[in-house]
C-alpha cells in the first residue's frame, strides 16, 4: 500500500492533493510538522484498501532539509483505527514511510547517483 501512495504523489492527479498539502506544510512549519485528517479521494482510496470506514489521520515530520531550497526528507504516517483482520478483530493500522520531496512534487537531485539511475532505467545490469 505504501508503494501505491508513493506512486500517487508523483502524479498531478488530485487524488493525492490533500496528502501533498500536509507534506509541504511540514516543510514550511517552524517545528517541521503537519498533521490532520486526510480527506477526499486519497482517504477513500486508503479506506478501500483497509476495508475500514474510520477516518484516516496523517502525521508528517521533516527529518532534514536539503541544500536545494524547498526540498526535504520527510516521514509520513497514515493512521486508521478499526481496520478488520482476517480473524474478525478490528485493530489500529499505521503505515509509515520516508521520502525525499521538493515543493514541485519531484524528488531532489541531491544524493542521487544519476549514472546509476540511468543504468537501472535503461535495463543494464551491474558491471555492464
Amino acid at each position: 500500500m505504501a508503494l501505491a501512495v508513493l506512486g500517487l504523489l508523483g502524479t498531478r492527479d488530485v487524488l493525492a492533493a490533500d496528502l501533498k498539502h500536509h507534506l509541504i506544510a511540514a516543510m514550511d512549519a517552524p517545528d517541521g510538522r503537519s498533521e490532520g485528517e486526510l480527506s477526499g479521494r486519497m482517504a477513500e482510496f486508503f479506506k478501500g484498501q483497509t476495508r475500514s470506514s474510520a477516518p484516516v489521520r496523517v502525521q508528517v515530520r521533516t527529518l532534514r532539509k536539503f541544500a536545494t531550497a524547498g526540498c526535504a526528507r520527510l516521514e509520513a504516517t497514515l493512521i486508521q483505527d478499526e481496520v478488520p483482520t482476517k480473524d474478525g478483530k478490528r485493530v489500529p493500522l499505521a503505515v509509515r514511510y520516508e521520502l525525499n520531496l521538493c515543493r514541485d512534487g519531484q524528488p531532489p537531485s541531491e544524493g542521487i547517483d544519476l549514472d546509476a539511475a540511468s543504468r537501472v532505467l535503461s535495463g543494464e545490469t551491474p558491471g555492464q
Side-chain angles (χ1 to χ4, degrees):
M1 183 182 331
L3 289 177
V5 170
L6 289 173
L8 291 169
L9 288 173
T11 70
R12 295 201 182 270
D13 193 331
V14 295
L15 184 61
D18 191 42
L19 181 55
K20 264 188 194 176
H21 166 78
H22 284 286
L23 294 168
I24 292 171
M27 281 189 232
D28 295 337
D31 66 353
R33 296 177 180 270
S34 177
E35 61 181 73
E37 189 172 313
L38 200 59
S39 62
R41 292 177 55 203
M42 185 69 193
E44 294 308 313
F45 171 80
F46 196 86
K47 290 175 183 180
Q49 296 297 306
T50 62
R51 298 178 322 277
S52 173
S53 60
V56 180
R57 297 181 318 276
V58 59
Q59 297 174 340
V60 181
R61 72 182 179 113
T62 303
L63 299 175
R64 76 179 185 100
K65 300 223 179 200
F66 288 103
T68 305
C71 299
R73 177 125 184 115
L74 304 167
E75 177 188 78
T77 306
L78 301 176
I79 305 160
Q80 188 181 33
D81 294 326
E82 300 295 317
V83 174
T85 63
K86 288 182 180 182
D87 62 0
K89 295 179 183 175
R90 294 196 166 270
V91 298
L93 171 72
V95 176
R96 178 172 291 136
Y97 57 94
E98 294 181 12
L99 70 157
N100 298 337
L101 187 69
C102 296
R103 280 191 182 81
D104 65 3
Q106 297 300 309
S109 59
E110 185 177 333
I112 295 176
D113 182 341
L114 296 176
D115 288 334
S118 176
R119 286 190 302 275
V120 168
L121 293 173
S122 70
E124 289 182 30
T125 57
Q128 278 187 324

